[in-house]
Amino acid sequence: MSDEYQAVLDEATRQGLLDAAGRRKVDDWLAMRAREGIRPRVEQALIALRLLSAQQVGQVSRALASSRSSLSVDVEEAVRATVALARKGRDRSTADSKYDVRSILGRGGVGEVHLAIDRFLRREVAIKTLRAPDRELQLRRFLEEAQITGQLEHPGIVPLYEYGVEEETGQPYMVMRRIRGQSLADVLDAVRSGYPTGLETIPGLEPPERTLERLLEIFLKACDAVAYANSRGVVHRDLKPANIMADRFGEVLVLDWGLAKVVGHSDAADGAGTVLTNRAEMGDKGKLSVRGQVLGSPYYMSPEQARGEHEVVDRRTDVYGMGAVLYEILSLEKPVAGNTRDGVLSRVESGAIASPTSRSRAPWRFGRRLDEIVLRAMAKDPDTRFDSVDSLKSQVETELASRSRGSGRGGRSLGLGAAALVSAALTGFLLGWLVPRD
């Protein structure tokens, strides 16, 4: 039972519109629908059972929105106070009595990540900070990243342990799990150079078909994480190999939700509600992007992003991003040809995407159907793309399973469950249809 579910019932009860018997009816009705594989929203249950009218449900929803807005006011005050502190120019050390900060793990355009030790739990953590916390726009994005990451609880998304602001320095920080492994970008670079990827169970080079099998497994797991975020109303907007981490034990994580945006409503099967952020609750007043401003990584961004059309971004934008990742996995080439930012953006806007096969320099070959899947995912018109990352993943899995059956290696996998079927399909497909180049 989700927090949002309870919040609706609690507010209806507070307003005197629902009693204990009515709540039990809602619980029973939703449980019955769940057994049938149907998961309607609690508002639908209240109306279907005639416990509340549509007008009363709207009244409850407005009251909840109002209470959340009052929370946003407090957050706004915190943002202003943080900026004011940071502008005093005090030391920006991230040291804290709870954490022993060691070294820098990485540095980006607006932030940096430090390795630290949690003195109480005696575990390594990663602390992300802003390089310029006195810049309000960057601070707002940082806060939204924390809110989004903190609410997306999925095995493929890095857990956020804590968000805070140092009282003395005004430095905001996020404490996250310390990640090990390597980025998919580094793995692909190793393959291009003919080196081991670091994901091998036994150190050393693997046959090309086994390497591609590992890469496709990483892709499918990353799809799960992105699809979950989309189901909670969140679009990542910066999907690329550098933001996907993997290790040799099979863990895959989608990183860097700094450009993520809440653009829709939750349709999560487990009843989890839409991710709530300060910007989403403020509506137009909370906009952090200006029309025409290009956000994302040029080689992997969708045409609508390249045009700066932030208002039309939705889950199909992430379909494009994952299609671009699949393109590079299959071909070992960037999805769009070009050496300058303007040249790449122009090609992206025009939809001039050559097939992965035509540009591949990988030591393996793949069928026309995977070409078609990639090009549909990266279609210029969002309406032509797959309607969700789940659909994209399903098409890839179906193709791999089909190839496996065609090669005569997939028959025994049918009774093994979904995960085993995909693994067996990958092996059968790669061994039976991928031919190493001379």
Side-chain angles (χ1 to χ4, degrees):
M1 189 178 298
S2 71
D3 291 341
E4 186 170 338
Y5 173 107
Q6 286 285 13
V8 171
L9 296 185
D10 289 347
E11 180 60 28
T13 302
R14 189 191 69 78
Q15 294 187 23
L17 303 174
L18 188 68
D19 57 18
R23 294 182 72 132
R24 286 194 296 272
K25 287 182 181 179
V26 171
D27 290 340
D28 293 344
W29 190 84
L30 289 175
M32 180 176 66
R33 292 294 180 271
R35 289 193 292 271
E36 296 170 352
I38 303 171
R39 294 186 180 275
R41 295 180 63 84
V42 64
E43 294 89 345
Q44 293 173 291
L46 291 167
I47 294 172
L49 292 170
R50 298 185 178 180
L51 295 171
L52 272 71
S53 67
Q55 183 177 4
Q56 289 172 322
V57 167
Q59 177 181 317
V60 169
S61 297
R62 286 191 295 275
L64 285 173
S66 176
S67 66
R68 289 165 180 165
S69 295
S70 65
L71 173 63
S72 297
V73 171
D74 295 335
V75 173
E76 285 298 293
E77 292 176 352
V79 167
R80 288 191 289 271
T82 299
V83 171
L85 265 176
R87 284 177 177 168
K88 290 182 178 179
R90 295 180 179 177
D91 177 27
R92 280 168 169 67
S93 167
T94 58
D96 181 88
S97 60
K98 184 177 178 181
Y99 301 104
D100 178 16
V101 180
R102 300 292 176 88
S103 58
I104 291 182
L105 293 173
R107 181 179 282 117
V110 298
E112 53 190 25
V113 180
H114 302 258
L115 172 65
I117 304 295
D118 184 321
R119 290 191 175 99
F120 297 106
L121 299 180
R122 300 191 178 187
R123 66 178 176 185
E124 289 186 339
V125 296
I127 299 181
K128 185 172 183 178
T129 62
L130 275 177
R131 298 177 69 179
D134 56 336
R135 296 181 181 177
E136 188 169 336
L137 178 61
Q138 291 184 12
L139 178 59
R140 290 182 182 279
R141 287 197 184 282
F142 191 76
L143 172 61
E144 181 164 57
E145 179 183 0
Q147 291 175 329
I148 288 174
T149 306
Q151 293 175 62
L152 292 180
E153 298 177 301
H154 186 274
I157 298 173
V158 183
L160 180 69
Y161 296 147
E162 181 183 351
Y163 176 87
V165 178
E166 288 190 6
E167 293 183 3
E168 293 299 318
T169 66
Q171 173 67 271
Y173 62 88
M174 285 186 266
V175 182
M176 301 172 290
R177 199 184 106 194
R178 199 279 205 225
I179 303 168
R180 291 175 174 80
Q182 55 192 314
S183 73
L184 178 56
D186 289 339
V187 172
L188 293 175
D189 282 342
V191 176
R192 292 185 190 101
S193 302
Y195 297 133
T197 63
L199 302 178
E200 298 87 357
T201 305
I202 300 175
L205 286 172
E206 293 181 321
E209 61 272 13
R210 177 57 183 141
T211 299
L212 181 56
E213 179 181 355
R214 291 188 189 280
L215 296 176
L216 291 174
E217 288 171 349
I218 292 170
F219 172 78
L220 294 175
K221 289 180 179 179
C223 281
D224 286 336
V226 176
Y228 170 76
N230 290 170
S231 79
R232 298 287 307 280
V234 174
V235 177
H236 188 285
R237 294 202 295 178
D238 196 21
L239 294 167
K240 56 185 178 181
N243 284 338
I244 298 173
M245 292 286 290
D247 67 17
R248 66 187 185 88
F249 301 106
E251 182 177 55
V252 175
L253 297 166
V254 177
L255 310 179
D256 199 350
W257 297 81
L259 290 184
K261 183 179 180 182
V262 180
V263 299
H265 298 288
S266 174
D267 59 6
D270 62 358
T274 302
V275 167
L276 300 176
T277 69
N278 196 43
R279 170 165 56 147
E281 290 174 355
M282 291 175 69
D284 289 343
K285 294 181 181 179
K287 286 184 176 180
L288 301 180
S289 306
V290 178
R291 183 177 175 85
Q293 181 184 22
V294 177
L295 298 175
S297 302
Y299 284 110
Y300 307 95
M301 70 171 56
S302 66
E304 57 269 26
Q305 287 175 281
R307 293 190 295 267
E309 297 175 351
H310 309 295
E311 70 279 4
V312 301
V313 165
D314 60 22
R315 65 177 63 193
R316 295 169 300 179
T317 301
D318 280 352
V319 169
Y320 185 101
M322 290 308 296
V325 170
L326 181 58
Y327 189 114
E328 189 164 350
I329 286 175
L330 294 174
S331 68
L332 296 185
E333 286 284 0
K334 293 288 192 292
V336 182
N339 297 317
T340 66
R341 175 182 170 84
D342 288 345
V344 171
L345 289 177
S346 177
R347 285 180 175 272
V348 170
E349 286 187 60
S350 68
I353 308 296
S355 69
T357 299
S358 68
R359 298 181 59 234
S360 177
R361 59 175 170 131
W364 47 69
R365 290 178 181 159
F366 43 90
R368 188 193 318 175
R369 177 58 184 150
L370 284 176
D371 258 358
E372 294 171 350
I373 290 172
V374 169
L375 293 178
R376 180 178 171 187
M378 298 182 68
K380 178 180 178 181
D381 182 357
D383 290 337
T384 305
R385 300 173 202 158
F386 300 103
D387 62 0
S388 68
V389 171
D390 259 339
S391 296
L392 167 59
K393 178 193 174 190
S394 177
Q395 288 294 314
V396 173
E397 290 175 331
T398 298
E399 173 61 10
L400 298 183
S402 173
R403 295 290 192 179
S404 176
R405 288 193 297 271
S407 67
R409 291 178 170 84
R412 288 182 150 189
S413 67
L414 295 177
L416 299 179
L421 172 61
V422 171
S423 179
L426 279 165
T427 303
F429 163 58
L430 293 162
L431 292 177
W433 289 80
L434 298 180
V435 182
R437 288 181 172 170
D438 295 333

